[in-house]
Amino acid sequence: MKVNLNRVALAVCAGLLAVAPLPALAAETAPLTLSTYEGAAPSARREDAGQIEPFGDRRAYLGVSASDKWLAQARIGGLLLNLRLFTPEGKGINFEEKLGPASTGGKDICLYMRQNNTEGGMLLQLDQKAVDVLERVNITQIVVVDYEYYIQNIYQVADLAALREALALAEAEQLCVSGEEDPVSVVSADGVRRIINW
């Protein structure tokens, strides 16, 4: 029996693509610019809100693990999540992560995301699965810091979940937020961004 290696290779590649998580394939998203939304644009400069301690080697907290590598998407408890950082122009930003105590105390966990630059106005983008996993492992807070460990934004996971619910987003649609004064947007599964007018 002859085996056509090209067909076998094609079948293997197709099988791998079928089981590979789609979020791992996306490196860019639609830009958020003045042409997208004429009323506002994300802040181009960072606004420091204090500085945190460098991450160090220990990245896990209360039995939940985080990666010690530079990532394009969050990896919590070994799971890749569609939780990412983007520039307003839509370019994916690598970051490293650490888990620690949340400001609310108790067994609440904070996810720190350290971006690989010192710019402000980064967009936090996440889908429903990411919200579900964060809630399941008791991550209640996300703090985005720049490369020099200056705090850029703090998000409450409960607020992000409530916002997704209020907007009646589909599971694969990604909520995208930045500073308090910046517009909220939604990115569809095929990468099309729409601005939410309140």
Side-chain angles (χ1 to χ4, degrees):
M1 177 173 129
K2 283 189 173 180
V3 176
N4 185 330
L5 293 180
N6 288 337
R7 286 187 182 183
V8 170
L10 186 58
V12 168
C13 286
L16 288 174
L17 286 174
V19 297
L22 289 178
L25 301 176
E28 295 188 357
T29 189
L32 180 61
T33 62
L34 283 175
S35 62
T36 307
Y37 181 72
E38 295 183 17
S43 27
R45 182 69 189 133
R46 70 184 198 188
E47 293 182 19
D48 301 337
Q51 194 174 25
I52 65 166
E53 294 292 320
F55 282 5
D57 293 332
R58 186 178 170 114
R59 304 297 175 96
Y61 184 72
L62 293 179
V64 181
S65 66
S67 175
D68 62 353
K69 309 288 185 218
W70 286 95
L71 306 166
Q73 68 186 92
R75 186 179 193 107
I76 303 297
L79 294 174
L80 283 175
L81 303 181
N82 202 356
L83 170 58
R84 304 166 184 268
L85 292 177
F86 289 94
T87 66
E89 295 75 33
K91 180 183 177 204
I93 294 297
N94 288 340
F95 60 89
E96 60 178 345
E97 56 188 20
K98 176 185 177 176
L99 300 174
S103 62
T104 50
K107 294 189 176 186
D108 291 349
I109 300 174
C110 178
L111 168 62
Y112 294 93
M113 299 173 70
R114 178 186 178 213
Q115 62 196 49
N116 68 350
N117 62 36
T118 57
E119 297 174 20
M122 295 299 112
L123 307 174
L124 179 77
Q125 195 164 298
L126 73 167
D127 65 6
Q128 186 60 50
K129 180 182 175 188
V131 171
D132 293 342
V133 170
L134 294 175
E135 290 181 327
R136 187 169 63 242
V137 299
N138 211 31
I139 293 175
T140 60
Q141 200 171 50
I142 299 171
V143 175
V144 177
V145 300
D146 69 11
Y147 190 78
E148 297 172 342
Y149 296 98
Y150 285 98
I151 296 171
Q152 299 303 304
N153 280 305
I154 300 173
Y155 304 98
Q156 302 303 320
V157 174
D159 293 344
L160 297 172
L163 187 54
R164 285 190 60 87
E165 186 174 340
L167 297 173
L169 299 184
E171 186 172 330
E173 288 183 302
Q174 298 173 54
L175 176 66
C176 188
V177 294
S178 188
E180 286 184 19
E181 303 300 318
D182 296 334
V184 172
S185 61
V186 174
V187 177
S188 67
D190 56 358
V192 176
R193 182 183 301 280
R194 72 180 192 273
I195 301 299
I196 305 300
N197 294 312
W198 294 93

